[in-house]
Amino acid sequence: LSRLESAAWRASREWYEFGEILGTAISRIPQRLRSRVSFLLPDDLPPIYVDFPQWTRVLQNLLENALSYSPAGSPVRVGADADQSFVRMWVEDEGPGIPPEERERIFEKFFRGTTSASAPSGTGLGLAVTREIVRSHGGRIWVEDVSPHGARFVTALPRQLDAEKEAV
């Protein structure tokens, strides 16, 4: 995390299909939990310009959190879409959600929200690392409510690099 924050680490980016990254992240989730994950991915989702291992870590962190904080057996959904400016990817669950007053703090180092008492122990670094990786890619991350309960973690990557891709 300190290397990410100090910009000592530099992303080694290439163009990847989101499905490639998602497949690798899913393969790192325990086999017994994989059946809980479903996907909503459009056929025309553009490739993303990312550091493959780091973006895999982003998805793996979000998936592990969703699986840990949601009730056993409940679904976790992964989705994506794109518009002219951004490619958005999200992971959502049916857990207790994130209280509004904690929605920014959960991305701070060592912060474990009030809902973390019901989840396995951890260091409180996963979302801080995730945020720094997303930032290092020029993107942003936030959390939204899912109705009637749950949380959706959304990442957005800018598409301005598409012109570079076409020029290559």
Side-chain angles (χ1 to χ4, degrees), residues 80-159:
D81 66 13
D83 61 20
Q84 297 282 5
S85 302
F86 294 96
V87 177
R88 284 175 298 281
M89 296 149 277
W90 63 86
V91 175
E92 71 179 37
D93 63 49
E94 295 181 0
I98 309 293
E101 64 275 9
E102 294 181 4
R103 289 195 187 136
E104 287 299 318
R105 294 202 61 212
I106 59 172
F107 296 104
E108 295 174 6
K109 291 185 279 191
F110 307 115
F111 181 79
R112 290 185 41 86
T114 55
T115 59
S116 63
S118 63
S121 64
T123 61
L125 286 174
L127 288 175
V129 168
T130 298
R131 178 185 62 188
E132 290 306 315
I133 293 170
V134 172
R135 281 185 184 173
S136 74
H137 283 78
R140 58 187 209 98
I141 185 170
W142 66 93
V143 64
E144 302 172 344
D145 279 335
V146 174
S147 184
H149 53 80
R152 176 184 300 124
F153 284 82
V154 183
T155 63
L157 288 173
R159 288 189 61 182

Side-chain angles (χ1 to χ4, degrees), residues 43-94:
D43 292 334
D44 62 348
L45 190 67
I48 54 177
Y49 192 62
V50 295
D51 181 294
F52 189 92
Q54 293 302 329
W55 206 257
T56 300
R57 179 177 289 179
V58 165
L59 280 174
Q60 183 179 348
N61 284 351
L62 295 177
L63 282 165
E64 287 173 348
N65 280 355
L67 290 163
S68 295
Y69 284 91
S70 58
S74 67
V76 169
R77 290 170 291 282
V78 178
D81 66 13
D83 61 20
Q84 297 282 5
S85 302
F86 294 96
V87 177
R88 284 175 298 281
M89 296 149 277
W90 63 86
V91 175
E92 71 179 37
D93 63 49
E94 295 181 0

